[in-house]
Amino acid sequence: MNTNLNVSNSEYDELISKKAQKSPIAKNIFFAFVIGGLICMLGQFILNQMLNLGVDQEKAATITSISLIFIGAFLTSINLYSRIGRVAGAGSTIPITGFSNSVVAPAIEFKSEGYILGLGANMFKVAGPVLVFGITSSAILGLIYYIFNFIF
């Protein structure tokens, strides 16, 4: 085994290019588009069905969101969402189902450590930073918008 740690950048790049598997970019893009599109179509289908049943727009949107969150959580709980993610890649990270998966997966993983220190403490391990930066950036942008409207 070669233990020479003094490797130049070009030697390192050459080594990585030899060892790294080539990613089938066209196939990955296709499956991300198709599966992500199917998730969005499911959401649109649920919304349309609620509207056809006479539910008002706001309640129909709420029911659609709740349904998609439940479907994402359920598929995660039966270990199917991770399989979909392996095929769909970025297509499985559609915001609402991907968020549901990012909350439920760590909760399931750490459940054996107890409800408080396991499930409760680790549930937002993945989604927490997204929430913090999302809420913070939206508050900053809202403040900037308010200042611009106040001045102009």
Side-chain angles (χ1 to χ4, degrees), residues 112-135:
S112 63
E113 295 179 21
Y115 286 110
I116 295 174
L117 296 177
L119 188 138
N122 293 297
M123 186 183 312
F124 290 104
K125 200 171 238 181
V126 175
V130 174
L131 287 171
V132 168
F133 287 108
I135 292 168

Side-chain angles (χ1 to χ4, degrees), residues 27-28 31 35 79-90 92:
K27 179 182 143 197
N28 291 348
F31 281 115
I35 295 175
N79 201 26
L80 189 58
Y81 204 89
S82 61
R83 293 180 190 164
I84 293 170
R86 276 189 228 115
V87 174
S92 67

Side-chain angles (χ1 to χ4, degrees), residues 26-97:
K27 179 182 143 197
N28 291 348
I29 291 171
F30 173 78
F31 281 115
F33 178 78
V34 169
I35 295 175
L38 288 172
I39 293 170
C40 292
M41 283 176 51
L42 175 62
Q44 189 65 50
F45 175 78
I46 295 169
L47 179 66
N48 290 346
Q49 292 305 309
M50 292 298 108
L51 293 173
N52 288 340
L53 290 172
V55 178
D56 68 87
Q57 179 73 33
E58 188 175 335
K59 287 181 183 171
T62 302
I63 292 169
T64 302
S65 297
I66 291 169
S67 299
L68 288 172
I69 290 168
F70 173 77
I71 290 167
F74 179 74
L75 292 176
T76 300
S77 71
I78 61 172
N79 201 26
L80 189 58
Y81 204 89
S82 61
R83 293 180 190 164
I84 293 170
R86 276 189 228 115
V87 174
S92 67
T93 61
I94 300 297
I96 198 156
T97 55

